[in-house]
Amino acid sequence: MSFDGVFTYAIVSELEETLAGGRITKIHQPSAYEIVMLVRARGHNHKVMLSAHPTYARVHLTNETYNNPSEPPMFCMRLRKQLEGSIIESVRQVDFDRIIVMDTKGRDELGDLQTKRLIIEVMGRHSNIILVDASTNTIIDSLKHLPPSVNRYRTVLPGHPYVAPPTHGKLNPLEATEETVLKKLDFHAGKLAQQLVSAFSGLSPLFANEAVFRAGLANRATLPKSFLSLIDDVRGRRFAPMMYTNGEKEWFYVLPLKHLQIEGQPFASASELLDRFYFGKAERDRVKQQAHDIERLMANEKAKNEKKLLKLEQTLEEAKKADVYRLYGELLTAHLYAAKRGMTEIEVANYYDENGGTVTIPLDPQKSPSENAQQYFQKYQKAKNSLAVVQQQIERTKEDIAYCDTILSQLETASPKDVEEIRDELIEQGYLRPRAAKGAKKRKTTVPELDRYVASDGTEILVGKNNKQNDYLTTKLAHKDDVWLHVKNIPGSHVVIRNKQPSDETLLEAANLAAYFSKARHSGSVPVDYTRIRYVKKPSGAKPGFVIYEHEQTLYVTPDEELVRAMKQRQKEQAAKPS
């Protein structure tokens, strides 16, 4: 748990310094658990992310762009009515816990001054965002409703008084002294880090383990000092936001974590750190929920086609026996005089064998010799006719499997907007039925919105995140001399460099994008082909996103998320500049 009371203290310090006195100008709810507020403060616009997600709950300033639904949810509309136009008077933390309170002041419809309190409880799956009338301590509304049947201690419903989560009698570490730390610890019981977490409010195992690590072996004498030294850094706001990874797991914190013994990546602020750490994580969760039915459908389709392919390959093996059936028919016809009804097999001379060998022909004892011969000729004809058909079906089935793989791969990197385009494509391809809604107007056909990135030298690079975007980018938008990239023999995005003569560095950066937005994004040394758009063709009748190309060259890159993020950040900065 990285977002503890210490991290909350750091975030509140940032929010108080940045937002106090600012006006709330707009409120959005991009997903079921997230609220984004736009605040105008000190001559600048700021975006604040408030998340009550069960896994990714957090509060911070953000520079990310979030897609909002066409119809705002009810809670969002309630927040807009109560808070838009209000002034943020203060931002504070409650008892060093993971509870942040924003006090706002504004006027209602009658022009009367009203004080509202927005309370964000960052507590894992119990996280919530609650709007309270500060004058009466009455809940106006909340993101998650909590009836008495669920929790007897506190009811979180409109009209009920707001009751804070229980504190469990823990002490505020900002008020701790060496004496209080020693009183709370039993050095004979061991598990000192766990004891610190149990005794003091808002502390995570990360903080406690760090205090114990810095105390060393003589922790009885030095643990209170190392603990208070860390608390003093917090009180003095001497923060050093860092992100750590060992290749399998990630951590973040606002104090150096020496006990991890890993080199950390520093950030300018706690908000910038959270923006980076949660980059794509919460959106991936939204996409997973939104595309669950598509993912299950395509996985089932793939499994069904894989079974079909096995049967077709067995049929093909049977079809390859056509010449054997013809041989049996001809030799049996020539030896009808020697065959009798009731025989299960007959050994005859093989006239086609230069060495004068013999062939044993299986017979159906229920049929006459001539009927057996006729049956072999029928099998021969059937096998000969089916050979070409089965081969075509095998190729078509392999294409269907590849198509399923492509869709599943695209879902791994899709945004909510991309999912809707994938859904439209599957409806057009007959995999999904259109969603019928009474009185619903047919959506206008719009030009796909492509993902844009900017290379180190300022060159624009376009990325298709689904088949509709890939087709539009490759067959309609790109110029014939633009450079086109795609991972070799693996489902992935089409990438186009808007430059006829890109530098080697830009080529590598574009190849990195192609590898990152592919099924091989977690692999190393991924082969990426590149060629001119003029050499990329879409075969007639091919499935969406499928192309063939020639005159290609190949680069090998290892996908780098930091590089992808840097290119996207350059694009945002470029787009923000006045034209």
Side-chain angles (χ1 to χ4, degrees), residues 155-218:
T155 298
V156 183
L157 288 173
H160 286 255
Y162 172 75
V163 177
T167 60
H168 303 293
K170 293 185 178 183
L171 301 178
N172 187 335
L174 294 179
E175 300 169 359
T177 63
E178 283 193 41
E179 184 180 357
T180 57
V181 175
L182 283 170
K183 282 183 178 180
K184 286 293 180 180
L185 293 175
D186 181 355
F187 287 90
H188 297 293
K191 298 183 179 179
L192 295 174
Q194 189 174 318
Q195 290 187 51
L196 288 174
V197 172
S198 300
F200 294 95
S201 174
L203 297 189
S204 65
L206 277 178
F207 181 95
N209 286 328
E210 184 63 21
V212 172
F213 178 81
R214 293 192 185 189
L217 295 175

Side-chain angles (χ1 to χ4, degrees), residues 49-311:
M49 162 59 72
L50 315 175
S51 173
H53 193 283
T55 307
Y56 308 122
R58 63 202 189 277
V59 179
H60 60 99
L61 299 168
T62 180
N63 291 316
E64 296 292 341
T65 301
Y66 296 89
N67 296 312
N68 301 307
S70 54
E71 291 291 331
M74 188 62 68
F75 183 62
C76 178
M77 292 195 290
R78 181 66 64 91
L79 289 180
R80 287 179 178 178
K81 181 180 179 182
Q82 299 289 335
L83 296 181
E84 281 187 357
S86 297
I87 300 297
I88 297 176
E89 290 197 310
S90 66
V91 183
R92 56 189 171 86
Q93 180 182 20
V94 177
D95 297 330
F96 208 73
D97 209 342
R98 292 167 292 157
I99 303 174
I100 298 175
V101 176
M102 288 187 185
D103 283 325
T104 69
K105 187 169 284 187
R107 298 189 180 276
D108 60 14
E109 297 92 334
L110 300 176
D112 296 330
L113 207 59
Q114 299 285 328
T115 303
K116 303 295 190 306
R117 182 165 291 156
L118 192 61
I119 303 171
I120 307 99
E121 300 173 352
V122 184
M123 297 182 171
R125 62 189 180 92
H126 301 295
S127 299
N128 208 346
I129 301 173
I130 306 168
L131 181 64
V132 175
D133 187 328
S135 61
T136 62
N137 195 42
T138 303
I139 296 172
I140 299 171
D141 205 353
S142 60
L143 187 70
K144 302 175 186 176
H145 289 176
L146 199 64
S149 58
V150 175
N151 191 321
R152 293 181 182 179
Y153 176 79
R154 63 194 296 246
T155 298
V156 183
L157 288 173
H160 286 255
Y162 172 75
V163 177
T167 60
H168 303 293
K170 293 185 178 183
L171 301 178
N172 187 335
L174 294 179
E175 300 169 359
T177 63
E178 283 193 41
E179 184 180 357
T180 57
V181 175
L182 283 170
K183 282 183 178 180
K184 286 293 180 180
L185 293 175
D186 181 355
F187 287 90
H188 297 293
K191 298 183 179 179
L192 295 174
Q194 189 174 318
Q195 290 187 51
L196 288 174
V197 172
S198 300
F200 294 95
S201 174
L203 297 189
S204 65
L206 277 178
F207 181 95
N209 286 328
E210 184 63 21
V212 172
F213 178 81
R214 293 192 185 189
L217 295 175
N219 47 39
R220 184 184 185 91
T222 56
L223 180 53
K225 287 184 172 59
S226 69
F227 177 85
L228 292 174
S229 174
L230 287 169
I231 291 297
D232 191 52
D233 285 340
V234 174
R235 191 185 292 109
R237 300 184 181 183
R238 293 185 288 275
F239 298 118
M242 304 275 279
M243 187 170 77
Y244 303 86
T245 180
N246 61 4
E248 296 179 359
K249 191 176 179 181
E250 290 180 316
W251 299 266
F252 64 83
Y253 212 54
V254 287
L255 296 173
L257 298 177
K258 297 178 181 177
H259 74 275
L260 294 179
Q261 299 182 347
I262 302 172
E263 189 75 25
Q265 180 184 352
F267 289 85
S269 67
S271 288
E272 186 181 313
L273 166 60
L274 290 179
D275 246 2
R276 168 62 188 85
F277 184 83
Y278 288 107
F279 173 62
K281 285 186 174 68
E283 185 174 84
R284 290 297 320 129
D285 184 78
R286 290 200 299 273
V287 168
K288 194 167 185 178
Q289 294 178 20
Q290 187 179 343
H292 176 69
D293 60 327
I294 298 177
E295 190 171 5
R296 185 175 56 187
L297 169 71
M298 299 316 290
N300 289 340
E301 281 290 324
K302 181 183 176 183
K304 185 173 72 177
N305 278 296
E306 285 173 341
K307 287 181 180 178
K308 181 181 176 182
L309 183 61
L310 283 175
K311 290 181 179 178

Side-chain angles (χ1 to χ4, degrees), residues 483-490 504 507-512 514-515 524-532 549-558:
V483 177
W484 180 91
L485 303 94
H486 192 282
V487 286
K488 192 180 191 72
N489 301 325
I490 300 172
D504 291 344
L507 262 177
L508 284 170
E509 290 175 344
N512 208 292
S525 193
V526 179
V528 178
D529 288 340
Y530 68 95
T531 187
R532 301 281 178 189
Y549 55 91
E550 57 187 3
H551 300 297
E552 73 275 10
Q553 299 180 64
T554 305
L555 290 170
Y556 290 85
V557 295
T558 297

Side-chain angles (χ1 to χ4, degrees), residues 458-522:
T459 301
E460 184 180 47
I461 304 173
L462 303 179
V463 178
K465 297 284 290 298
N466 56 55
N467 290 327
K468 279 182 172 288
Q469 294 177 16
N470 285 338
D471 277 351
Y472 172 71
L473 172 60
T474 301
T475 64
K476 294 182 179 178
L477 181 64
H479 188 272
K480 62 182 180 179
D481 287 324
D482 286 343
V483 177
W484 180 91
L485 303 94
H486 192 282
V487 286
K488 192 180 191 72
N489 301 325
I490 300 172
S493 292
H494 293 198
V495 176
V496 170
I497 303 172
R498 305 305 300 272
N499 190 329
K500 296 177 183 178
Q501 299 295 333
S503 65
D504 291 344
E505 185 177 15
T506 298
L507 262 177
L508 284 170
E509 290 175 344
N512 208 292
L513 285 169
Y516 183 80
F517 292 109
S518 77
K519 197 175 179 180
R521 66 183 307 187
H522 300 299

Side-chain angles (χ1 to χ4, degrees), residues 428-443:
E428 291 171 6
Q429 294 296 310
Y431 287 94
L432 285 174
R433 291 182 180 179
R435 289 179 170 177
K438 291 184 179 179
K441 293 181 180 178
K442 188 177 181 181
R443 280 200 304 178

